[in-house]
Structures are given as structure tokens and as C-alpha cells.
Amino acid sequence: MPVVVAAVCPHPPIIVPELASGAAPELDSLRAACRTALDALSSATSILVVGSGPVSATYGADAGGSFGPYGAPDVRIGSGPRVLPLSLTVGGWLLGQSKAAGLPRTYLAVPVDEVPARCLELGKEIAAGNERVGLLVMGDGSARRSDHAPVHLHPRAEIFDTTVAKAFQDVDLDVLAALDPDLATVLQAAGRAPWQILAGAFTGTTLTGDLLYDAAPYGVGYFVASFTQ
């Protein structure tokens, strides 16, 4: 499945307007950036959504996910059992808002603490095929960017996120591949493993990239980026 296009998006539940309530407009620019990145996936013939989860798992297109635990029980995706972790549920919801909504899709969950070598290997396995695949990579940056973050401020959080954002902007796959899993764990950066799968999938290719969003509105680093070959 050669990966011909990819999008990187974050997965905060409040990206869903029904969950953000009165604060919904605060993330309008993030939602718009995600739509732009996901619309580009429509050039593929199928979509693989990659995100962190409690265990390694692959799910079919009908796999279900619900935002009930976050306060919106009527907002869900898929027709099957609600088995998708949050990252993939948000990914499926975002896909449903995009031009790529009608494409066949599958989901891949990777443990947030998966070792980099395995992440890179998974990426290369994804890219070994003949179908034109669009990769939707879900992942947040550090959750320790401010005193109002989910976890208290860490002095290395902004430096880590700045490094990731620059790697997306410069399409520097080597930097993504070299992200330290131990530091990512300390900083609670849930995107580290999925981003390294992206790096593996594009190994040896020439990419054009565009960083569409880079901010930490609630003390958590959110990035949106688009990549094409």
C-alpha cells in the first residue's frame, strides 16, 4: 500500500462542537485546518487511520466509536461495536466531515509506548503494497505546555513541541524517527508513536509538506500538517 498522501491531526474530544459547548468557536481555526488536510486525502483510494490506543489492534471500516464518555452520547461513528480508542474515534469523525468521507477505511491502534524501531517498521509495512493509501495520523503534542494544561507545566514541553512542528514544516522524517519515547512519556505527548509510523511509511520518498496549525490553546500541543509525494 504505497502511501501517496498523509494528514496529521490532533485528537482532543472538544474538537467535536457538541462537546465544546460555548467554547466551540475557540477551535474553529483548528477544525478548518483539519478539513484542509483531510480533503487532500481524497486523492487516495483508501484511508488508514493511525492513532494511539491501549493495545495494538486493527479495526475494519464499520468499527464503532462513541463520544458518550465525554458528554455527547449521540455523537458516534461506525455501525459496529464501539471499540475504537479516542484517537481513532476522533479520526473517524474528522474523516466524516471531509471530502474523503466516502473512501474505504481501516484503523490501526498502536500503544503509546511502542518502541520507535517497531513504529518505523509498521510504517514501512504499511507502505509495502500497490494500493494508493492515504494515511491519517492522529496525535497530540505535549500535555504539559502551560500551568492550565491537563498536567502541570514542564520546562521541556514547548521545546519538544517546537521540534515536532519544525519537523513537520521541514518534512524532516529523521527528526520524527529520533523522538525520544521516554521524554515523550514524561511530557505526555500521545502522538510520538503514530508520528514515527508516518516517518517509516515515507522512508526513502520525496515529500512536499505543509504545517497548517501549531498551537497549544489549552496547554496541549496541537499540530495539523499535510504531506504529498
Side-chain angles (χ1 to χ4, degrees), residues 173-190:
L173 302 179
D174 290 337
V175 168
L176 294 177
L179 292 174
D180 183 349
D182 294 330
L183 177 59
T185 298
V186 170
L187 299 179
Q188 296 203 4

Side-chain angles (χ1 to χ4, degrees), residues 140-142 156-165 179-180 183-184 187 189 192 195 223:
D140 295 349
S142 175
R156 298 184 66 180
E158 185 171 355
I159 297 171
F160 178 90
D161 281 358
T162 298
T163 299
V164 172
L179 292 174
D180 183 349
L183 177 59
L187 299 179
R192 189 273 309 169
W195 298 333
F223 312 106

Side-chain angles (χ1 to χ4, degrees), residues 14-26:
I14 56 173
I15 202 169
V16 178
E18 291 88 340
L19 288 170
S21 188
E26 295 178 8

Side-chain angles (χ1 to χ4, degrees), residues 202-218:
F202 280 123
T203 297
T205 66
T206 301
L207 298 177
T208 298
D210 191 7
L211 179 65
L212 302 170
Y213 187 94
D214 170 21
Y218 302 113

